[in-house]
Amino acid sequence: MWRALGWADAVVVLTIATVLAVGVRLATGAPGVAAGPAITLAPAALPWYTGLSVSRMAAAYALSLGFTLVYGYAAAYNRRAERILLPVLDVLQSVPILSFLPVVLLALSAVLPVPLAAELASVLLIFTSQVWNLTFAWYQALTTVPTDLREASRIFRLSPWLRLRVVELPFAAPSLVWNSMMSWAGGWFFLMAAEMFTVGRRDFRLPGLGAYLKQAAVEGDVQALVRGLLALVLVIVLLDQLVWRPLLAWADRFKLELVEASPPPRSWFYDAWSASALAAWLGHRVLAPAVEWLDTRLGTRWRAEEALGAHGRPWRWAARVVLTAAAALLAWQGARAVGLLVRVPPASWAAIVLGLMATSARVAAALVVALAWTLPVGVAIGMRPRLAAWVQPLTQIAASIPATAVFPALLVILTGVPGGLTVAAVVLMLLGAQWYLLFNIIAGAAAIPAELRQTVTLLQLGAADRWRVLLLPALFPFLVTGVITAAGGAWNASIVAEYVEFGGRTLTTTGIGALIARATAGGDYSLLLAATLAMILAVVAVNRLVWRRLYRLAEESFRMD
């Protein structure tokens, strides 16, 4: 069922505008000058910097996973909540992170010590680059659980907690693992911006691997840049071998297939850990008692809440009071946000419209190029575990190298070709978007049941019919999720791609990202608010008019039942 733009979208956008306006007002109280720590390029500093960056990434990922499980579950199972939560998700994943960051950072520094404000803003930025694809993947998995599994959970009268633990989380595990890898790649992409942020004379730098890479690029120290990239690659390889590959091997057991068509993914660390006495002791002494305790407590509590729900929930009145107060606050601050917007001159509004059109064309070009290569490559990797064993670590490394670290080198090459920064901007947006598509396609191809592949083989279908009958329908839900998150990544990347300070010069091209970056650099908060809202509205409109409709089609017509 297609759902058009509605009142919930208007409320969410108004809320975002209000939050931005409040942030802008708080930002006026920020310290006039802030001094960040010195970033040394000495090799001895790299281990410490790497540890700090990984800690920030881990903290942001833990927040992302917790948010995903709660938010996606509420959106999938409560139709009233879904009418609010999905528009909120659409809007939040559409918010250009780098335009929001200066407002958040200045507002936090007005009420907190600058180092703590910078740390919180850094984790928030990384969180917003990790969470949306995870949440979409979890929501998609919950809404496409096969009907026979749902019927079985009803027959066995599973509580919501047991249904979550034995049905929904296992079904979603492969997709969550692949999207977790993508989330880390997205976090690395924004790490440099998160650790090396300056607004005028305020220096909010943080020591870390991203700051090291950015400082090396600024100073033109090629050796330090290579050292930083090698440290980043080493961290990615270690995470792949000790975390992601074991999780992929573990999650493969939850694939829905009756026969095994190809060797499952293997992990030496997973095999060693499974055979170790420590793992057996932890499983027997810690994990099993904890799961039993949760089964008892949460199963009983959820049944009690279900029984209470039949007679009305006493907290509903409290919720209504809170919502009424929030609505009044929203109306008051919303009026103040409108006051900021009316200060924007007509010429700036015309520039915003032109910028939206230009950036939309670049986002579309980046998505077309990304889809053209990720679709065949993702299917090849996802359907051939032996190939995946070799290629997956390489794609993980390539996806995790921050494109912003190599952007200066791209500029040297691309500013000399026709199109200049316009072409370079499309390339950077492509680098920021393509991995969302690739990882979702790999997850979708890997989830195709072996019996379906064997049936297609027995029917001796040609390549075109194989794509039409099996691959495209099976991949469709994953493609929609990938395109939505990839488009969000491309819009975000536009802010660093369309306004570049390079070699002592400022290079700009027409686009909404350039307007946002220029407003941030010049402290024009009215224009920043107007351009940010315009970008949000454009992305939300496309999501609701195009992608959400396809999402419903995927949910209703392409389930693996």
Side-chain angles (χ1 to χ4, degrees), residues 2 27 55 133 202 234 292 332 357 393 403 422 428 476 504 508 555:
W2 173 54
S55 300
N133 60 303
R202 304 178 183 93
L234 178 62
E292 184 178 355
W332 176 46
M357 295 171 61
T422 298
L428 185 62
F476 192 74
T508 65
E555 180 183 329

Side-chain angles (χ1 to χ4, degrees), residues 533-548:
L533 284 177
M535 180 185 282
I536 291 171
L537 286 172
V539 178
V540 169
V542 172
N543 283 350
R544 303 298 268 155
L545 298 176
V546 180
W547 304 126
R548 189 57 55 197

